[in-house]
Amino acid sequence: MFEFTILVIVISAFLTLYRMVKGPTIYDRILTANIIGTKTVVVIVLAGFVFKSPQFFIDIALVYVLINFILVLAFLKYVEKGRLD
Amino acid sequence: MADLVLLFFLIVCAVAAVVQKELLNSVIILSIYSLIMAVVWVRLGAVDVAITEAAVGAGISTVLFIAVLTRVKRREELTRIRLQILPLIVVLAVGLTLIYGTLDMPDFGSPAAVTNTHVVPRYLEKGVEETGTDNYVAGILASYRGYDTLGETTVIFTAGLCVVLLLRSNKKRL
């Protein structure tokens, strides 16, 4: 059951690749990175339940969420201001 | 099945990152690549590697790429692509040699693999009494391979110092 859910979520994340490759503006690609981040957090927690030790995997999921947040902030700051500081 | 989709995902990301002419797009696609790679590590059960990949591959190196992009032009120069035969042959030969080299490796997770039979049983037997920790990984890293870990820490410390020095000198010049 968890495996099937992982498969569905991974395929739904795969569909966003169209916007990543085609995406006319830069914001489509940033949104793709954000969506894939949120999808994969769910996949990581589900994989934790597949391996029957969710506590470690929830830790990674938290690290992952924070890094994805920093990533999107860095991209958007660069697009808006042209520099990072 | 989900693993196959993930690996196909990686191939699409790698090709797209190379093909893109706008460098910021390549950076975004590379960060997506690292995020997917972290999921692949999680699916293989390598949790610590996944944390490192997510933190370093997706986080720090992407921010460093963007920091480089603030100093250089954002578009790649348009170059005429032509098929070069000799490099293609060399790349294919090296790739096939590497694939041939993996044929001798033991099956994934096989209990007869050398890593599972050589020193690991001894660590598992004597680890707790010899190192005094209940965590085998910490015992192996900090006690049995203490000098190795010390060297790695020195390397990382030196790299961090170099980054700090480079960034400071850059700021002074501007």
Side-chain angles (χ1 to χ4, degrees):
Chain A
M1 188 61 204
F2 287 130
E3 282 288 334
F4 180 70
T5 318
I6 288 176
L7 181 63
V8 171
I9 292 175
V10 166
I11 288 176
S12 70
F14 189 77
L15 294 180
T16 61
L17 277 188
Y18 176 72
R19 277 295 152 203
M20 179 193 85
V21 177
K22 187 90 193 316
T25 64
I26 202 81
Y27 301 105
D28 292 309
R29 296 191 171 89
I30 295 173
L31 196 59
T32 307
N34 201 2
I35 287 174
I36 287 178
T38 52
K39 290 279 178 287
T40 47
V41 165
V42 182
V43 170
I44 288 173
V45 176
L46 284 173
F49 284 99
V50 169
F51 284 111
K52 295 190 175 57
S53 62
Q55 64 270 22
F56 301 119
F57 289 80
I58 286 174
D59 287 346
I60 318 175
L62 288 174
V63 172
Y64 204 94
V65 171
L66 290 174
I67 284 167
N68 196 31
F69 183 60
I70 293 172
L71 264 186
V72 174
L73 277 189
F75 284 137
L76 290 176
K77 195 162 183 179
Y78 174 68
V79 169
E80 185 175 332
K81 295 188 173 176
R83 58 200 175 89
L84 279 181
D85 45 348
Chain B
M1 187 63 200
D3 293 323
L4 282 180
V5 180
L6 282 174
L7 291 177
F8 187 63
F9 219 123
L10 286 180
I11 295 175
V12 173
C13 284
V15 172
V18 173
V19 168
Q20 285 288 337
K21 285 296 171 209
E22 179 127 2
L23 290 177
L24 184 59
N25 292 346
S26 293
V27 172
I28 294 174
I29 294 169
L30 273 182
S31 78
I32 294 174
Y33 180 93
S34 287
L35 293 175
I36 300 297
M37 197 67 212
V39 180
V40 173
W41 292 124
V42 167
R43 297 275 302 168
L44 288 172
V47 179
D48 45 346
V49 185
I51 290 184
T52 314
E53 176 74 38
V56 176
I60 296 175
S61 63
T62 307
V63 174
L64 281 181
F65 278 141
I66 296 176
V68 171
L69 276 187
T70 60
R71 301 271 192 276
V72 299
K73 275 190 297 184
R74 247 176 73 175
R75 287 194 65 83
E76 199 175 327
E77 295 271 326
L78 282 174
T79 48
R80 208 159 50 85
I81 300 173
R82 55 201 169 84
L83 191 64
Q84 291 178 316
I85 300 296
L86 185 65
L88 184 66
I89 292 174
V90 171
V91 166
L92 283 180
V94 171
L96 287 178
T97 316
L98 289 176
I99 291 174
Y100 176 72
T102 62
L103 291 181
D104 279 344
M105 285 167 64
D107 292 338
F108 176 70
S110 151
V114 181
T115 49
N116 290 336
T117 57
H118 180 46
V119 284
V120 169
R122 182 169 180 302
Y123 286 160
L124 292 182
E125 271 174 30
K126 297 278 184 68
V128 173
E129 51 180 288
E130 281 182 356
T131 62
T133 61
D134 289 334
N135 189 329
Y136 291 113
V137 177
I140 290 173
L141 280 182
S143 177
Y144 291 114
R145 300 183 188 163
Y147 287 119
D148 187 20
T149 309
L150 182 66
E152 285 173 11
T153 318
T154 314
V155 168
I156 292 174
F157 178 70
T158 317
L161 270 186
C162 291
V163 169
V164 169
L165 289 175
L166 280 174
L167 290 181
R168 278 182 57 187
S169 70
N170 224 350
K171 192 178 285 178
K172 205 177 289 175
R173 204 181 308 143
L174 285 176

